[in-house]
Amino acid sequence: MNACRKRGAYNNGMDKKYTERLEIDKILSSAAGFATLNQGKRIVEELEPSSDMDEVKERLEMTSECDKLLFKYGFGSVCQFGDVEEPISRAVKGSALSCSEILEVARLIASAREAASGTERLTEIPLVIQLTRNLFYDHNLELDIAARIAGPDNLYDSASDKLYSIRSRIRSLNERIRSTLSEYITGSYAEYLQDPIVTIRNDRYVIPVKAENRGKVKGFVHDRSKSGATFFIEPEYVLELNNELISLVSDEKAEIEAILKDLSKRIGKIGAKLLADIEILAKLDANLALAEYSYSVKGINPKVNTRGYINIIRGRHPLIDKDKVVPVSLEIGARYSFLLLSGANTGGKTVTLKMVGLFCLMACCGLFIPAEFGSEVAVFQDVFCDIGDSQSIEESLSTFSSHMTHVVDICSRASDKSLVLLDELGGGTNPDEGQAIAKAVVKKLLSCGSCGIITTHFTPLKEFAYNTEGIENASMEFDPSTLMPLYSIKIGLPGASNALAICKRLGLDEDIIKDAVSFLSDEGRDFENMARQMEEVRVESEKVLAENERIRSELTEKRREINRGIEDINKEKAAISRNARMETKRIISEKTAEAEELLAEIEEIFKQEVVTESDLIKARTVKNKLEAVEAEEHEDIRKQVDYRPATKDNIKPGSTVYIEKFDCTAQVISIRKNGEIEVQFGGVKTFVKLSDLKVADTKQQKPQDIKIVRKFGRSQPVLEINVIGMNVEEALQEVNNFVDKAVLDNLDEVKVIHGVGTGKLRNAIQSSLRRDRRVKSFRDGLYGEGEKGVTFITLK
């Protein structure tokens, strides 16, 4: 079972001349580039769209499984091997293969082994496993080939014991020959030589002897130089050695042939299975290529149906640069069968029309489509299209004649299982006749149940679409202010051609444009004006809607931030309370234990029969300790402060207040006329009612009544510091420590009170803040905030 089948596998009725106009061949060529094997490339390039629903689903499912195999399980790709069908066929017939051919067969076996072992345990890819379960491989043969063949033209010495022995003897004999000949080069014969070297002629070792010394060196002459000055002589002392060497070389060749013949014979025995492996691996390679291409265009697995329903969500034409393509959404086949697409030139009508047809063909080939999840395409029996200038010089046909030839063919063959895509229907001839033909063709296509897209500039055809069931107007959106296309579709509204406006933008003379306007029919002028005004109103209303949505989103997000801030405060409050209770219990437990120990000690003293004065003193001391423990145990854990309601008279910006419903202190930022108070606590700013605030009652609270308390949990952030009366060095140190703590408490803004004075302290602090990387900005206080006597610091 396989989603990829070669051309001719289906009698699906799709006419190649129409499918190639949608450039499915370019898509398949790009996808073939991801294949590893030549056989896999051919399968992808020859793939044809299927009109069989079950086959299309199987193809898409196979691509989905291969996507998992590649990008979830990291399978990689089919391992490369050469075209070995012909060598394997020769091996089956008993021929011996060369080293290079046997190595390629070994690569085929390794590829089959890795594909089989890499997929056998994966339960999520049943179609792939069904394909690869029939792979055969002989691992022992693969290892033998690797152990014997060193390269395309060479065997290892260890390929056989006999070959090892022969080559050892050859090496030894070579050494003896060279050693013997070296005596001629360095001995008494050296003066007779042309050059002090040993060379080879006719596979025998020889030395170059000067022509005039030929008779002085006994041996066999094998060759001489072109000039005749040098004779290449095999000395008689090495004649027998060379004969033996030739014999050994012949034995080596025979042994190599025997080894290759043995390996070839083993390949021939499994040749049929290996040829089946090639076909399986090619299919797997082709399907992996489809998955890789689908991933490269960010494709999704579309839903498919046979109802003629198409719903493309933010589709992107795969042959347009991904950085330039603009996503388009449209729907056909639910409330209407045809879209009549109008609008200005260069607005994207033709690209959209081709994209719809191409997406259907891609899905029928098993390719994912570059769109958003939820997109759906239909499986058609036929896909017809007429796009662009089809003038045929060979057939002496004009653009209109060629166009109508295709329209005639389409009308005669279209059915309720056809997708029809017509660009500028009725164009290229008299407009009155052209629009009349277009209406009749649309009527014919609607009557036979087809669905598709038709692009037009004809106003009467747009009006016809308003009054005809089964076809709906749609327009490519256009910015009326810039006269630039927006590359999005608006269903239900026809588009104005904007030809005169575009001509004006391009610089056409104003008088020519005025004349052109005067030549328009009243109906045509009214319709174009109406369409243009509707477009302007629609664009403006969408801008207002978008702005309102932006503001709503911002307000919603701010509300969320405030709620999150309140939630964090409540959590922190609960945590502090929980920690305080735990710490209180711990202290009470410790003090109780300590008291019990002291009581036990007193009891021990008075258990004695005779109590001395020193024992009484010791008992009194223990009693005093016990009283101290009881006093600590009943001491308040917190500092007790009395609060009274806040009024406009007892608070001002910078005041510290207590917010009862949050159970925390905060700093007043500003006081609004409506009575709301802006406060900041824990890095959060919010507005509260005056009635929710309280201030410390300093009149009722006396300094000596305030007790030192033990604090638990996290302390409240400090929002201000007072350095009045300090010298510059002390103040800078205090401010630096204060900023450290503010950063740790995640505060946005804090205040330093330094007074006005001579300004020396203020200048020193602000100069230091200017160099502080933790500080985003700082400012003097405003009127009512302390003016130049305070500095507000905004932290990063």
Side-chain angles (χ1 to χ4, degrees):
M1 237 175 169
N2 183 23
C4 282
R5 298 194 183 175
K6 292 186 178 179
R7 183 169 299 181
Y10 301 98
N11 183 20
N12 55 37
M14 289 195 188
D15 195 323
K16 184 179 176 182
K17 72 180 179 184
Y18 291 119
T19 59
E20 288 191 351
R21 280 186 159 233
L22 294 170
E23 301 179 298
I24 186 63
D25 54 326
K26 293 183 180 179
I27 298 294
L28 293 174
S29 178
S30 297
F34 289 93
T36 302
L37 309 176
N38 292 331
Q39 299 91 327
K41 294 180 191 293
R42 286 195 295 271
I43 290 176
V44 176
E45 289 171 344
E46 295 175 1
L47 189 62
E48 287 191 344
S50 172
S51 59
D52 182 275
M53 183 64 170
D54 292 336
E55 182 63 28
V56 171
K57 286 184 176 179
E58 184 182 343
R59 289 180 173 188
L60 289 171
E61 182 57 29
M62 175 64 89
T63 303
S64 178
E65 289 187 11
C66 287
D67 181 82
K68 291 178 183 176
L69 192 60
L70 287 168
F71 305 111
K72 181 177 180 179
Y73 298 110
F75 177 76
S77 60
V78 174
C79 295
Q80 174 71 46
F81 58 87
D83 293 330
V84 291
E85 292 95 331
E86 191 270 335
I88 291 174
S89 298
R90 284 194 286 109
V92 171
K93 295 176 183 178
S95 298
L97 305 184
S98 66
C99 290
S100 59
E101 290 172 335
I102 293 175
L103 282 177
E104 290 302 327
V105 172
R107 291 191 181 98
L108 164 61
I109 297 172
S111 183
R113 174 177 52 78
E114 292 192 12
S117 60
T119 59
E120 61 183 353
R121 292 187 177 87
L122 304 179
T123 59
E124 292 185 74
I125 52 170
L127 290 176
V128 173
I129 291 176
Q130 188 172 352
L131 178 64
T132 58
R133 68 169 52 158
N134 295 320
L135 284 170
F136 169 83
Y137 57 91
D138 185 337
H139 194 38
N140 290 329
L141 177 57
E142 178 192 347
L143 293 175
D144 281 351
I145 292 173
R148 293 185 176 192
I149 299 180
D153 300 305
N154 191 25
L155 269 65
Y156 289 111
D157 293 352
S158 57
S160 73
D161 292 341
K162 185 175 181 180
L163 183 62
Y164 182 84
S165 175
I166 292 171
R167 287 185 173 176
S168 297
R169 291 165 60 193
I170 288 174
R171 282 192 291 270
S172 176
L173 195 55
N174 276 322
E175 285 297 319
R176 288 174 58 193
I177 294 172
R178 286 183 176 276
S179 176
T180 302
L181 290 177
S182 66
E183 295 177 3
Y184 282 85
I185 295 172
T186 58
S188 58
Y189 289 95
E191 59 181 299
Y192 305 138
L193 303 182
Q194 191 72 262
D195 294 298
I197 60 172
V198 176
T199 185
I200 295 176
R201 289 292 186 275
N202 300 325
D203 296 328
R204 303 176 78 89
Y205 287 103
V206 297
I207 54 176
V209 180
K210 296 176 182 177
E212 62 270 21
N213 299 322
R214 173 186 173 187
K216 296 178 180 178
V217 178
K218 294 180 180 181
F220 183 80
V221 177
H222 284 276
D223 196 7
R224 69 176 180 177
S225 64
K226 291 181 180 179
S227 64
T230 304
F231 283 80
F232 296 94
I233 299 175
E234 179 185 8
E236 60 182 359
Y237 294 111
V238 297
L239 185 61
E240 289 302 321
L241 294 176
N242 270 332
N243 288 339
E244 185 179 352
L245 180 61
I246 294 296
S247 177
L248 286 174
V249 169
S250 178
D251 292 343
E252 178 191 28
K253 184 177 180 182
E255 179 61 14
I256 289 173
E257 289 175 354
I259 294 170
L260 295 180
K261 190 169 184 179
D262 174 64
L263 292 173
S264 300
K265 184 177 179 180
R266 292 171 65 183
I267 291 170
K269 287 182 179 179
I270 59 172
K273 295 179 180 179
L274 294 179
L275 291 173
D277 279 355
I278 294 173
E279 184 177 354
I280 293 171
L281 291 170
K283 289 178 181 179
L284 178 61
D285 184 44
N287 282 291
L288 291 170
L290 296 182
E292 283 203 70
Y293 174 81
S294 298
Y295 180 83
S296 73
V297 296
K298 298 181 179 178
I300 58 101
N301 189 354
K303 300 176 184 176
V304 290
N305 65 81
T306 55
R307 308 188 313 274
Y309 176 68
I310 298 172
N311 181 25
I312 296 174
I313 305 171
R314 293 181 61 78
R316 307 173 302 280
H317 197 293
L319 294 178
I320 299 177
D321 189 332
K322 63 181 180 180
D323 296 325
K324 297 179 181 179
V325 67
V326 180
V328 174
S329 300
L330 60 82
E331 184 181 15
I332 309 171
R335 294 182 295 107
Y336 44 83
S337 300
F338 273 88
L339 271 183
L340 184 67
L341 195 54
S342 55
N345 290 318
T346 72
K349 299 190 299 296
T350 302
V351 170
T352 300
L353 180 142
K354 293 175 74 173
M355 180 192 74
V356 171
L358 186 58
F359 277 12
C360 291
L361 295 178
M362 287 175 68
C364 290
C365 289
L367 286 161
F368 292 173
I369 62 174
E372 296 295 327
F373 286 102
S375 296
E376 187 167 355
V377 294
V379 177
F380 295 97
Q381 188 69 39
D382 307 287
V383 175
F384 300 116
C385 67
D386 182 67
I387 300 171
D389 188 349
S390 303
Q391 185 170 5
S392 175
I393 297 175
E394 293 83 358
E395 299 178 15
S396 300
L397 296 176
S398 67
T399 299
F400 177 73
S401 298
S402 179
H403 166 62
M404 288 311 301
T405 298
H406 292 140
V407 172
V408 169
D409 182 52
I410 292 169
C411 286
S412 66
R413 296 168 59 185
S415 69
D416 59 350
K417 296 180 180 179
S418 301
L419 175 66
V420 179
L421 307 166
L422 299 175
D423 192 24
E424 303 294 349
L425 178 60
T429 189
N430 177 280
D432 289 337
E433 293 181 323
Q435 58 88 13
I437 293 170
K439 289 180 185 177
V441 170
V442 170
K443 187 176 179 182
K444 166 66 176 175
L445 294 174
L446 287 171
S447 67
C448 68
S450 300
C451 68
I453 300 176
I454 296 170
T455 68
T456 189
H457 287 288
F458 289 146
T459 298
L461 192 55
K462 302 173 191 176
E463 295 171 346
F464 174 77
Y466 265 125
N467 302 312
T468 304
E469 187 177 352
I471 184 169
E472 182 69 76
N473 273 301
S475 59
M476 299 301 298
E477 297 191 72
F478 204 76
D479 190 329
S481 59
T482 63
L483 300 178
M484 296 299 290
L486 299 176
Y487 301 105
S488 58
I489 296 177
K490 195 68 178 179
I491 306 295
L493 292 176
S497 296
N498 288 299
L500 295 177
I502 292 174
C503 289
K504 183 176 181 180
R505 181 171 63 84
L506 294 175
L508 188 63
D509 190 89
E510 189 71 30
D511 293 336
I512 299 176
I513 293 175
K514 288 180 180 178
D515 286 342
V517 172
S518 68
F519 293 144
L520 288 173
S521 66
D522 292 340
E523 294 82 1
R525 184 163 51 246
D526 291 344
F527 187 89
E528 288 294 315
N529 287 336
M530 179 188 69
R532 187 164 47 253
Q533 289 170 6
M534 290 172 64
E535 180 71 7
E536 289 174 358
V537 171
R538 185 193 60 74
V539 171
E540 186 60 31
S541 63
E542 288 189 353
K543 286 181 180 178
V544 172
L545 185 63
E547 179 63 17
N548 289 339
E549 179 62 24
R550 184 188 65 79
I551 293 172
R552 189 190 69 79
S553 298
E554 288 181 358
L555 291 175
T556 301
E557 183 58 31
K558 286 182 179 178
R559 188 180 298 111
R560 286 198 194 99
E561 288 180 5
I562 291 172
N563 290 337
R564 283 196 296 267
I566 293 172
E567 185 179 348
D568 290 343
I569 290 170
N570 288 335
K571 288 180 179 178
E572 187 173 344
K573 172 187 170 184
I576 292 172
S577 176
R578 184 169 57 254
N579 292 339
R581 288 195 299 271
M582 292 174 62
E583 182 67 9
T584 301
K585 288 181 180 178
R586 185 188 65 78
I587 293 172
I588 292 173
S589 297
E590 288 179 358
K591 296 303 178 183
T592 301
E594 187 177 348
E596 288 176 352
E597 289 178 3
L598 293 172
L599 286 172
E601 191 174 342
I602 292 174
E603 290 177 359
E604 287 295 325
I605 292 173
F606 286 101
K607 281 182 181 179
Q608 299 178 29
E609 293 181 0
V610 179
V611 179
T612 63
E613 185 177 352
S614 62
D615 291 332
L616 291 175
I617 294 171
K618 183 178 179 181
R620 192 178 296 112
T621 302
V622 173
K623 177 176 177 295
N624 291 337
K625 288 182 180 180
L626 180 60
E627 289 174 349
V629 169
E630 290 175 347
E632 285 184 19
E633 194 171 337
H634 291 88
E635 183 179 310
D636 289 335
I637 295 174
R638 293 188 178 181
K639 177 180 179 180
Q640 302 298 317
V641 180
D642 293 327
Y643 289 100
R644 57 194 177 94
T647 65
K648 289 185 178 179
D649 297 326
N650 61 14
I651 64 169
K652 62 180 180 179
S655 299
T656 299
V657 294
Y658 173 73
I659 307 175
E660 189 170 18
K661 65 179 180 180
F662 295 154
D663 191 21
C664 69
T665 58
Q667 185 180 37
V668 176
I669 303 301
S670 63
I671 303 172
R672 290 195 167 187
K673 293 181 179 179
N674 62 3
E676 287 189 329
I677 312 298
E678 183 182 11
V679 298
Q680 176 174 318
F681 56 92
V684 177
K685 292 182 180 180
T686 187
F687 289 95
V688 296
K689 295 180 181 179
L690 183 63
S691 58
D692 292 334
L693 302 180
K694 289 186 176 182
V695 295
D697 190 350
T698 53
K699 294 181 179 179
Q700 296 180 9
Q701 188 69 41
K702 296 180 181 179
Q704 60 268 28
D705 294 334
I706 299 176
K707 299 178 180 180
I708 303 300
V709 303
R710 183 181 288 107
K711 297 183 179 179
F712 308 103
R714 182 179 174 183
S715 63
Q716 291 291 336
V718 179
L719 301 176
E720 64 180 45
I721 185 175
N722 190 333
V723 296
I724 295 175
M726 299 182 187
N727 60 36
V728 170
E729 185 177 354
E730 292 172 340
L732 290 179
Q733 182 62 40
E734 289 296 322
V735 170
N736 184 61
N737 295 337
F738 174 61
V739 171
D740 270 342
K741 189 173 187 309
V743 170
L744 292 174
D745 289 337
N746 199 26
L747 298 181
D748 292 331
E749 187 176 72
V750 293
K751 182 173 70 174
V752 177
I753 303 171
H754 45 65
V756 179
T758 62
K760 182 178 179 181
L761 194 56
R762 168 182 171 273
N763 293 338
I765 291 171
Q766 293 189 354
S767 177
S768 174
L769 294 175
R770 195 172 287 111
R771 300 188 300 271
D772 196 326
R773 295 184 178 180
R774 301 166 297 177
V775 176
K776 183 177 180 182
S777 62
F778 60 86
R779 63 177 177 85
D780 291 331
L782 302 176
Y783 178 75
E785 293 181 333
E787 301 181 39
K788 292 189 179 295
V790 298
T791 295
F792 285 89
I793 304 170
T794 302
L795 301 171
K796 291 183 179 178

